[in-house]
Amino acid sequence: MRRRIGGWLGVLTLGVVASLVMATPATAQTQGPPLMRETGLRSGGGDGFDTFEFYYRQSAPGLQAAVLDRLGLKRWDARWDMVLGIWSGDHRDTAVAAIGPAVERRLARSGLRFSLGLQPTLLSRHDGNGKDLGGPLQFTSHVGIAWAPAGGLVLGLRMQHTSNARLYDSNPGVDIAAVEIGYAF
């Protein structure tokens, strides 16, 4: 099982390295306009699962104009948050894919930012690690804080909850705490 985790982690690392090589340098100041894209790795655990994820975020100008600007939330930025990863536990691994909206607010000039999001999530196995999550379609909500100084580096903490919103009879949910390291460009 450790070999599989190492293999997945290697694939995720190669993806991040390729993204960094092809990226243009970040030029935004911490108090300047929001960065357009970010990619990185996230790892954590909770409820008997360890997670390894490759994530990608990008600006969502349509969502920004249609929702946040109309609500007068000018200090918030709309994002699309995408994840490919693996949950590992006592039994077989579970592949995870998610994509959905997130909102982000930069806090003053410190480089800190706060985010909230909700992503529909697909699981390759919904009965892993002694838990029956009900079915393959789940929803992942998150709250996170990250430090993103000028220059592209991003270091963050994220708490997330994944469950199926009662689409299925079984709905125990999974809570995960994770750290992330990324690059904004």
Side-chain angles (χ1 to χ4, degrees):
M1 180 149 128
R2 295 218 185 270
R3 278 188 176 174
R4 281 187 279 166
I5 292 170
W8 278 102
L9 190 55
V11 168
L12 293 175
T13 303
L14 286 174
V16 169
V17 169
S19 297
L20 294 175
V21 168
M22 296 184 325
T24 57
T27 56
Q29 302 291 326
T30 53
Q31 66 262 21
L35 299 170
M36 301 298 286
R37 293 175 294 237
E38 177 184 326
T39 188
L41 291 175
R42 181 181 303 131
S43 182
D47 285 341
F49 291 99
D50 292 324
T51 66
F52 301 98
E53 299 176 339
F54 172 73
Y55 73 86
Y56 175 79
R57 292 186 188 109
Q58 72 176 33
S59 299
L63 188 59
Q64 181 81 33
V67 179
L68 298 181
D69 290 350
R70 285 187 180 186
L71 292 173
L73 300 172
K74 302 272 185 204
R75 299 180 133 214
W76 290 84
D77 299 314
R79 301 272 192 209
W80 288 113
D81 197 0
M82 296 159 256
V83 172
L84 288 175
I86 189 164
W87 289 2
S88 148
D90 294 338
H91 304 293
R92 294 192 314 213
D93 296 340
T94 301
V96 178
I99 184 171
V103 294
E104 194 170 84
R105 179 160 185 209
R106 290 179 298 141
L107 306 173
R109 296 180 188 156
S110 64
L112 290 176
R113 64 181 192 206
F114 175 76
S115 68
L116 299 166
L118 177 66
Q119 293 81 33
T121 304
L122 289 175
L123 304 176
S124 65
R125 296 180 46 81
H126 61 84
D127 59 352
N129 211 31
K131 276 191 170 191
D132 181 4
L133 298 178
L137 178 61
Q138 303 286 315
F139 299 92
T140 299
S141 55
H142 80 269
V143 60
I145 190 158
W147 179 59
L153 174 69
V154 179
L155 299 172
L157 298 171
R158 174 178 163 125
M159 298 293 295
Q160 67 184 44
H161 174 77
T162 302
S163 65
N164 64 47
R166 300 188 191 265
L167 290 176
Y168 311 104
D169 290 335
S170 180
N171 187 27
V174 173
D175 296 318
I176 293 174
V179 295
E180 59 188 30
I181 183 167
Y183 182 77
F185 53 98

